[in-house]
Amino acid sequence: MKKIYSLLMLSICSVGAMAQLTCDEAQVVTLGATNVAGVTGTQLPSTFCVGGIGNADAAMWYSFTPSADMGITVSSAISAIDTRMHIYTGICENLQCVGGDDDSGPGYSSIATINVTAGTQYFIVWDNYWTGNGFTFNITETVFVEQLVNFTTMNGGTSAMAVLDMNGDHLDDLVGTSGDNLNIGYQQTDGSFTNTNVAISGGVQHSPSWSICGGDLDGNGRNDLLFAGGGGASFIWANTDGTAYNETSDNNYIFCQRSNLVDINMDGQLDAFVCHDIAPNVWYINNGTQNFEHNQGGLGDTPDGGNYGSVWIDYDNDCDMDMFIAKCRGGQGPANINQMHRNNGDGTYTEVGEEIGLADDVQTWSSAWADFDNDGDMDVVVGASSSINGNHKVMRNNGDGTFTDITAGSGFDTFPSNGIEWAPADFNNDGLVDVIGAGNTIMVNLGDFTFGQNAVTFGVGPMGDLNNDGFIDVVSGSTIHLGVPNDNNYLVINTIGTESNKNGIGARITVESPSFTQIRDVRSGEGFRYMSTLNTHFGLGTDEAITKVTVCWPSGITDEILNPNINETLVITEGSTISNVAENAQTKLNIYPNPATDRLTIAGNEWTKANVTVTDLSGKTVLNTTLIQNELNIEALESGFYIIRLELNGNHSEQKFVKK
């Protein structure tokens, strides 16, 4: 353990025989160690600060009043048993959460770091949700950290595992489950929510007990869901207006962990991936119906599993999605190390973790991927769930697809808490991506790969913009923690695929402004458990203009938008900015493959011996020939985007294509 947990206290206070059973009887404690004989108190808090679960039936109450402004860490790590803690200010009849933790320390102990104000009374409450056994906790002084990110709270009315647009209005909605029902909170334009419960036809075979993800699997304009449970996976399908849902699942056993939606075989349709805890991973190929093709192995083949935190990112900047797996069983042999599966560009994958420097055996459940230094490539924070085989790792992308460990001096090397959830977001819109993780802490990106601890009253949950103000919000149960706006500007992007999947999942987005060039990948499912928004969010700092937005779609098509407005949502449809294809084309060409490498095939016999003209996006003719045997040799073309035009007997047709 780090020295922050050692007994560097001004005084030591131990609880005697009198149990602190209620708020009014809270035992006064000071900096140091406090013994809890057992969790037997008769009063529960009216609101739990962490967990969102009300199944505890006993709690112990303690009161701490600092004599000076300071930071403090409250920790049961010294006992290393499973505890849950809540920290409040206020009076007993009206308590407000200011901190708390569940499962950030060794043995699932609790650790929380907060700023405290001189003369203010703080209540530290331990409940028996996990255990009623005795333990010892410490209060130690830490550095007072200026709050760079602040939140207010509101009740969303829906206990949510996902933040996802469910009705096609580009506003983030709340999605939860109860039995065979979907609980959806539809965001309104005024920031309120309209809540509804929708029965899932046929019931639900596998609840999302381990993870959830979403996207438009069948291209009907409404987002579907994938539930990953302890016995298998269930697909939840939305009808065309989102008013009804049905379930399908296969009968294969999967001890599911993280799940994702992504176009695995690069055919333009969303597929599904599920980490398997005790066997090789499972993936489903979309065949255009609701009966997905089940596959196992080839994307994480460790026989005994340990696959926990998959995330799909483009780490090597080739505009296709690769897959990193955070392994739970670090230190248990060479097969239980983190993996990177590189997309070969044709829907096949090669595991290259050791080759590129990411084959670490740290015990981890998830990782946070972002371009933390805005140099144009994806870096990663690998979050430790246990320090048994090393702590957090900050890995910088060297720009050539390899990584260097720069943890030392980053702030993560002295960060005391471990946890299972790690996710990236720019919470203060300063143009630098932060990390939310263990210990109810946001690690605020200070630039130059250094991060500062910013205490919050909640842990990782599904994220999105839930009051449409351009700042990222976080959901914990039915409580929405709303990011407090500052003077920084922003841009939100909604991607609509045409040749690619409907959500544009897998697209690489680049935003250029005077101070920054920022990148994001559109992802379905990151962190360990939750589903966050598919709208892509960029903080702009004080920049008041954007030079260009570029989207490289999974199809290979690239769109560019010049000088878009700031502080609003920009909807980008795939292919909308490519040079106009003739509106009066009499038939649509059926060409394949697209993207193509050396040859294009034009289906049908009606164009045999047609005149062929290929132009680039500037309108320059780069190829003029006659079509022979329905094939066109494009080997001489440079990689890029083109328009093919066929003319024969007064008829003509045009189509866009991509040369790889």
Side-chain angles (χ1 to χ4, degrees):
M1 300 306 298
K2 300 293 183 182
K3 62 183 180 180
I4 197 169
Y5 303 131
S6 62
L7 302 184
L8 300 177
M9 64 294 254
L10 301 178
S11 62
I12 297 179
C13 176
S14 296
V15 175
M18 178 68 70
Q20 310 314 313
L21 306 182
T22 69
C23 181
D24 289 331
E25 298 172 331
Q27 170 70 39
V28 175
V29 294
T30 58
L31 293 172
T34 298
N35 245 349
V36 181
V39 183
T40 58
T42 56
Q43 181 183 351
L44 289 175
S46 58
T47 300
F48 292 111
C49 298
V50 294
I53 307 169
N55 290 352
D57 57 17
M60 300 296 287
W61 295 75
Y62 301 90
S63 171
F64 174 77
T65 304
S67 58
D69 293 350
M70 66 178 72
I72 63 168
T73 294
V74 185
S75 169
S76 62
I78 192 171
S79 296
I81 69 168
D82 200 349
T83 57
R84 190 170 74 168
M85 168 184 57
H86 317 276
I87 307 176
Y88 306 90
T89 56
I91 60 175
C92 290
E93 294 76 19
N94 185 21
L95 297 174
Q96 292 88 45
C97 289
V98 294
D101 184 53
D102 186 13
D103 294 349
S104 286
Y108 302 107
S109 54
S110 305
I111 306 171
T113 300
I114 64 170
N115 291 333
V116 294
T117 304
T120 299
Q121 184 181 31
Y122 295 84
F123 293 96
I124 301 169
V125 182
W126 304 87
D127 69 37
N128 70 338
Y129 178 71
W130 298 115
T131 182
N133 295 335
F135 59 94
T136 299
F137 71 89
N138 279 336
I139 307 175
T140 56
E141 183 176 359
T142 62
V143 177
F144 184 96
V145 179
E146 180 184 359
Q147 290 290 110
L148 299 176
V149 181
N150 293 282
F151 295 83
T152 59
T153 61
M154 69 173 288
N155 186 352
T158 296
S159 185
M161 286 189 69
V163 168
L164 186 64
D165 176 15
M166 298 301 285
N167 58 358
D169 63 358
H170 309 310
L171 296 177
D172 289 323
D173 304 314
L174 302 170
V175 184
T177 66
S178 56
D180 293 334
N181 292 307
L182 275 183
N183 312 130
I184 303 175
Y186 293 105
Q187 184 183 165
Q188 307 300 302
T189 55
D190 63 359
S192 64
F193 288 83
T194 299
N195 297 299
T196 183
N197 294 332
V198 184
I200 299 171
S201 177
V204 176
Q205 184 172 346
H206 304 290
S207 67
S209 54
W210 285 102
S211 70
I212 188 172
C213 59
D216 188 354
L217 288 163
D218 53 8
N220 71 352
R222 292 292 183 266
N223 283 321
D224 312 295
L225 299 165
L226 174 60
F227 290 0
S234 288
F235 294 90
I236 311 300
W237 302 88
N239 68 355
T240 55
D241 61 5
T243 59
Y245 294 83
N246 68 283
E247 186 257 16
T248 64
S249 60
D250 64 20
N251 294 318
N252 291 281
Y253 171 72
I254 317 169
F255 189 172
C256 299
Q257 302 297 320
R258 175 73 264 177
S259 54
N260 315 94
L261 300 184
V262 67
D263 185 356
I264 294 174
N265 62 348
M266 302 177 68
D267 68 348
Q269 299 186 95
L270 274 185
D271 309 307
F273 179 86
V274 183
C275 279
H276 202 322
D277 189 5
I278 58 175
N281 291 319
V282 171
W283 39 287
Y284 295 89
I285 293 299
N286 189 342
N287 60 12
T289 72
Q290 293 187 359
N291 297 309
F292 277 25
E293 174 191 327
H294 175 276
N295 298 272
Q296 186 166 14
L299 285 168
D301 286 336
T302 310
D304 57 351
N307 306 297
Y308 268 54
S310 53
V311 58
W312 292 76
I313 71 278
D314 179 12
Y315 85 92
D316 54 0
N317 285 356
D318 61 356
C319 203
D320 56 37
M321 295 295 266
D322 315 292
M323 191 261 292
F324 179 78
I325 302 179
K327 288 280 193 172
C328 173
R329 297 174 188 160
Q332 295 186 17
N336 291 292
I337 58 177
N338 298 332
Q339 298 179 349
M340 174 65 79
H341 294 263
R342 182 181 63 208
N343 192 326
N344 299 321
D346 58 3
T348 66
Y349 296 80
T350 302
E351 204 286 300
V352 295
E354 184 172 2
E355 174 185 329
I356 66 176
L358 292 181
D360 201 309
D361 61 357
V362 64
Q363 179 96 328
T364 176
W365 286 31
S366 63
S367 58
W369 283 81
D371 184 6
F372 294 113
D373 56 352
N374 286 339
D375 68 345
D377 47 44
M378 288 289 173
D379 315 298
V380 60
V381 172
V382 181
S385 60
S386 167
S387 58
I388 191 172
N389 206 50
N391 286 310
H392 318 298
K393 296 292 177 63
V394 181
M395 306 296 293
R396 181 183 61 207
N397 193 322
N398 298 319
D400 59 1
T402 66
F403 292 80
T404 298
D405 185 346
I406 59 164
T407 310
S410 67
F412 277 94
D413 51 339
T414 58
F415 183 53
S417 300
N418 295 321
I420 65 175
E421 290 277 5
W422 304 87
D426 182 358
F427 289 100
N428 55 0
N429 280 357
D430 65 350
L432 298 170
V433 179
D434 316 305
V435 177
I436 185 170
N440 289 356
T441 302
I442 292 174
M443 295 295 282
V444 176
N445 191 339
L446 304 176
D448 299 324
F449 267 112
T450 60
F451 297 82
Q453 297 179 35
N454 192 104
V456 292
T457 63
F458 50 89
V460 182
M463 297 185 292
D465 185 356
L466 292 163
N467 58 353
N468 201 30
D469 66 352
F471 286 77
I472 292 291
D473 312 311
V474 185
V475 183
S476 178
S478 60
T479 300
I480 303 173
H481 299 271
L482 299 169
V484 175
N486 53 34
D487 292 333
N488 289 334
N489 296 310
Y490 67 89
L491 179 69
V492 176
I493 294 175
N494 182 275
T495 47
I496 301 176
T498 54
E499 301 295 327
S500 305
N501 65 84
K502 192 74 171 180
N503 305 105
I505 292 169
R508 163 62 60 86
I509 303 176
T510 304
V511 171
E512 300 175 39
S513 63
S515 302
F516 309 100
T517 296
Q518 301 182 61
I519 61 173
R520 304 283 192 273
D521 293 329
V522 183
R523 308 173 191 161
S524 174
E526 56 186 331
F528 174 71
R529 184 183 302 275
Y530 302 106
M531 174 67 202
S532 292
T533 180
L534 287 173
N535 291 338
T536 311
H537 172 269
F538 292 83
L540 300 173
T542 58
D543 285 358
E544 296 183 348
I546 295 171
T547 307
K548 182 169 65 174
V549 175
T550 305
V551 183
C552 181
W553 299 86
S555 66
I557 292 172
T558 295
D559 281 296
E560 292 184 354
I561 295 88
L562 302 179
N563 306 310
N565 294 332
I566 64 172
N567 297 334
E568 64 181 33
T569 296
L570 175 65
V571 179
I572 303 176
T573 300
E574 183 177 11
S576 60
T577 66
I578 294 177
S579 298
N580 291 331
V581 175
E583 295 291 336
N584 62 346
Q586 293 156 323
T587 59
K588 180 179 179 180
L589 287 177
N590 182 7
I591 61 176
Y592 62 91
N594 189 12
T597 303
D598 53 5
R599 293 182 183 277
L600 274 179
T601 298
I602 292 86
N605 297 320
E606 65 270 25
W607 295 108
T608 299
K609 296 185 179 181
N611 182 65
V612 180
T613 304
V614 176
T615 58
D616 64 19
L617 297 190
S618 69
K620 178 184 177 182
T621 298
V622 294
L623 184 63
N624 195 337
T625 186
T626 300
L627 184 65
I628 304 297
Q629 295 182 344
N630 295 86
E631 283 195 345
L632 181 66
N633 188 326
I634 58 170
E635 287 180 308
L637 299 183
E638 296 182 357
S639 297
F641 312 98
Y642 298 92
I643 298 169
I644 179 174
R645 177 182 175 93
L646 271 66
E647 296 183 67
L648 183 66
N649 299 326
N651 298 321
H652 67 274
S653 187
E654 297 179 345
Q655 184 68 27
K656 297 170 288 188
F657 74 93
V658 179
K659 165 67 186 299
K660 295 177 67 172

